[in-house]
Amino acid sequence: MSGDTAPYERDLAYVHSAGYSRLMLPVAHEVVRRLRDRQCSGGTIVDLGCGAGQVAGEYAAAGYDVIGVDLSPAMIELAQSIVPHARFEVGSWTTWPLPPCIAISALGEVVCYLSPGVDPVAVLQDFFAKAFAALAAGGLLVLDVVEIGMGRELDPTWTAGEDWCCLVKYQYDESHDQLTRRITTFRAAGEFYRRQDEVHRQQLFARDEVAQMLEQAGFQVEVAERFGDFTPLPGRAFFAAMKRE
């Protein structure tokens, strides 16, 4: 869901980059390892929901051509400053036209963010079909989703860094399998702190349903409890899908 405000405006983009963006770096390392094991040392990798570009930066450092895509202009601005030699574009994972590539990542629950009123299953099926068509034989699609049930009894969380803090309150919608996050950030601005509020809504999925959709699209699917050195957070399902050679 897109939320009640533009996603990841400048302060939340900064907070996410400062406090959370390194969580997915082990995924990038494992993607690179698997590609090299298949003698694939070059080509294009697409990072959907790229955030501030840290994962894209790992792909670029490994010698791949990288395109990072994110709905947040503030995130794209940060990414371009952090990884100036990579290509970044503002766009949605649901509509951005995928080019021929060797890998696609959609990390940080990217595919759970959908526009209101859409059929989540149909949108995901369409994305998997487009990803399969774009990938070279042996190519990888890696993604994670929030699972149905996650958030039913979550208490508010509070996280802080040197010049920021972030409060998240959760609301679970049983009838639609959706999770709402009400996010309040405070970021240092001179001697004071600036407050920003955002509302993010996510569609939740059953891991077996997602795995079945990937298989129907033609992928060989691994539902991973570990992916290299990466372990999914509780309530999330992680998928590594390979286009059969």
Side-chain angles (χ1 to χ4, degrees):
M1 304 297 166
S2 60
D4 294 346
T5 63
Y8 290 95
E9 294 185 339
R10 61 173 181 161
D11 286 346
L12 184 54
Y14 173 83
V15 167
H16 187 275
S17 177
Y20 302 94
S21 60
R22 299 187 62 83
L23 293 175
M24 291 296 179
L25 293 187
V27 176
H29 301 157
E30 180 65 9
V31 167
V32 168
R33 187 193 68 78
R34 293 191 182 199
L35 290 174
R36 287 179 171 167
D37 281 351
R38 299 189 183 103
Q39 309 304 311
C40 187
S41 58
T44 298
I45 300 179
V46 177
D47 187 27
L48 299 173
C50 65
Q54 284 88 347
V55 165
E58 295 298 303
Y59 296 145
Y64 296 92
D65 297 324
V66 185
I67 308 173
V69 181
D70 202 284
L71 194 60
S72 165
M75 283 292 202
I76 292 299
E77 184 178 349
L78 272 175
Q80 201 67 76
S81 67
I82 292 170
V83 195
H85 50 290
R87 171 183 161 193
F88 294 98
E89 295 187 11
V90 175
S92 168
W93 69 270
T94 62
T95 57
W96 191 79
L98 290 166
C101 54
I102 57 169
I104 301 167
S105 54
L107 306 174
E109 309 151 12
V110 171
V111 301
C112 294
Y113 287 90
L114 292 167
S115 299
V118 302
D119 179 342
V121 171
V123 172
L124 210 51
Q125 287 174 326
D126 180 63
F127 169 65
F128 291 157
K130 291 189 292 187
F132 187 86
L135 284 167
L140 284 174
L141 166 65
V142 293
L143 69 147
D144 59 331
V145 302
V146 188
E147 295 190 85
I148 291 174
M150 164 66 179
R152 280 196 179 107
E153 299 178 358
L154 282 179
D155 293 326
T157 59
W158 179 262
T159 311
E162 183 177 350
D163 59 353
W164 60 270
C165 51
C166 181
L167 171 68
V168 184
K169 297 180 179 179
Y170 303 89
Q171 182 180 352
Y172 192 88
D173 183 343
E174 197 85 43
S175 61
H176 296 95
D177 292 322
Q178 292 174 3
L179 180 66
T180 298
R181 288 184 169 98
R182 300 187 182 278
I183 305 168
T184 299
T185 58
F186 295 89
R187 181 183 174 189
E191 61 180 305
F192 301 104
Y193 275 76
R194 180 173 57 241
R195 172 175 172 164
Q196 177 189 312
D197 296 286
E198 292 195 22
V199 179
H200 293 187
R201 293 188 176 86
Q202 294 179 302
Q203 182 65 46
L204 312 187
F205 294 95
R207 67 171 59 197
D208 291 346
E209 181 181 28
V210 175
Q212 184 178 40
M213 284 190 276
L214 284 163
E215 289 170 353
Q216 289 172 344
F219 287 102
Q220 178 180 319
V221 182
E222 174 188 353
V223 184
E225 298 300 329
R226 283 186 63 85
F227 186 71
D229 292 331
F230 173 75
T231 301
L233 293 171
R236 281 78 164 180
F238 185 90
F239 304 88
M242 185 182 75
K243 182 172 179 175
R244 293 181 176 88
E245 300 187 62

